[in-house]
Amino acid sequence: MFVKPGGSPAEIAEKLQARRVRIMRVQAVLFVAWQAAFINNLRGLHSPLRTVDHLQLSGFAVWAAALMMLLATGGGWWRSRAVREILDDEVTRAHRASALAWGYWTLALSALGLYLAAQLVTIPAFESAHGLLTLGVLVPTLRFVFLERRSERNG
Amino acid sequence: MAEATLQNGLKAARTRLGLTQADLAEKVGVTRKTINTVENGVFVPSTVLALRLAQALEMSVEALFWLSGEES
């Protein structure tokens, strides 16, 4: 699955781009699926946290950071400059800009909702942060995947 | 006044030269999806990309891109 594609820089970039979209789509689905498990376990978290809880939460943070890195840089980190430039061409940058704008509005509106809700109910900081992090990673990722797939299909 | 939209003759020019989207993408240094989105009018290219496309298709930018309501 992760065999390095060969050929000209354009051919390599073409394959990496398709792979990037596939990976991001699968990761987004897994990311959502993991939330279901997390929410089920949330009330069961020990206080103070056990080592296993720390590992689970740190793993989630690393996962979120990796997805953010992939979205921000476009991937192809070990490829030549020529491949990376094609991989991060004008349309890709436009899709990323749109994805990040969606992320911004999602976070801003979610923060607004939390701000208003916090006047009525107590919302633990950790749960707020987790929710914001999840939305802040998931929404831009899904938006980017949607735009990339649409541009492949019919422009 | 209605807002003018960018039209292009990219597909016609490309096929005239017998190039596929992938061929043109390689000549210009972008991915095929960029050519696809420009051809379909989904994406408005930057001046730099428009110049590169025109150069690759041996045309002037004005002949390749025009605003709706104008002659190509």
Side-chain angles (χ1 to χ4, degrees):
Chain A
M1 183 182 174
F2 293 105
V3 175
K4 273 192 170 185
S8 68
E11 288 169 343
I12 296 169
E14 211 60 56
K15 288 170 190 162
L16 288 177
Q17 174 200 271
R19 186 183 288 176
R20 175 176 64 193
V21 172
R22 274 200 309 273
I23 289 172
M24 289 177 84
R25 190 176 47 169
V26 169
Q27 289 295 317
V29 170
L30 292 175
F31 204 71
V32 172
W34 193 86
Q35 298 309 311
F38 174 79
I39 290 165
N40 278 339
N41 293 335
L42 193 60
R43 302 294 169 200
L45 283 178
H46 288 68
S47 184
L49 294 175
R50 299 168 302 171
T51 305
V52 67
D53 296 327
H54 279 298
L55 281 174
Q56 186 188 22
L57 298 175
S58 302
F60 174 74
V62 170
W63 190 8
L67 278 174
M68 282 191 268
M69 275 279 286
L70 185 58
L71 181 64
T73 64
W77 301 311
W78 293 279
R79 292 293 178 170
S80 67
R81 189 189 178 112
V83 171
R84 279 186 282 119
E85 278 179 1
I86 298 171
L87 201 54
D88 197 34
D89 68 355
E90 214 168 291
V91 167
T92 306
R93 291 198 300 272
H95 289 170
R96 182 182 300 125
S98 171
L100 294 179
W102 274 53
Y104 165 77
W105 283 111
T106 301
L107 284 177
L109 292 173
S110 302
L112 180 67
L114 283 172
Y115 181 79
L116 294 173
Q119 296 174 47
L120 306 172
V121 291
T122 303
I123 305 172
F126 174 75
E127 289 176 25
S128 302
H130 182 88
L132 290 175
L133 178 62
T134 302
L135 287 172
V137 170
L138 196 59
V139 171
T141 301
L142 289 175
R143 175 70 179 162
F144 184 78
V145 167
F146 168 77
L147 291 173
E148 289 280 299
R149 282 170 57 83
R150 189 181 66 174
S151 68
E152 278 294 329
R153 283 199 304 271
N154 52 18
Chain B
M1 188 176 138
E3 193 177 330
T5 56
L6 189 70
Q7 309 288 312
N8 71 78
L10 202 62
K11 189 172 183 179
R14 175 174 64 74
T15 49
R16 180 172 48 80
L17 293 177
L19 297 171
T20 62
Q21 286 186 342
D23 294 334
L24 182 58
E26 186 151 11
K27 281 181 91 168
V28 177
V30 294
T31 52
R32 194 189 57 77
K33 77 168 183 245
T34 295
I35 303 299
N36 193 33
T37 50
V38 174
E39 266 188 12
N40 290 312
V42 172
F43 181 70
V44 176
S46 69
T47 310
V48 173
L49 181 55
L51 285 164
R52 281 190 185 151
L53 287 166
Q55 192 177 36
L57 294 168
E58 300 158 12
M59 296 172 76
S60 67
V61 179
E62 293 87 343
L64 195 57
F65 295 98
W66 64 93
L67 294 173
S68 55
E70 291 181 359
E71 291 290 316
S72 65

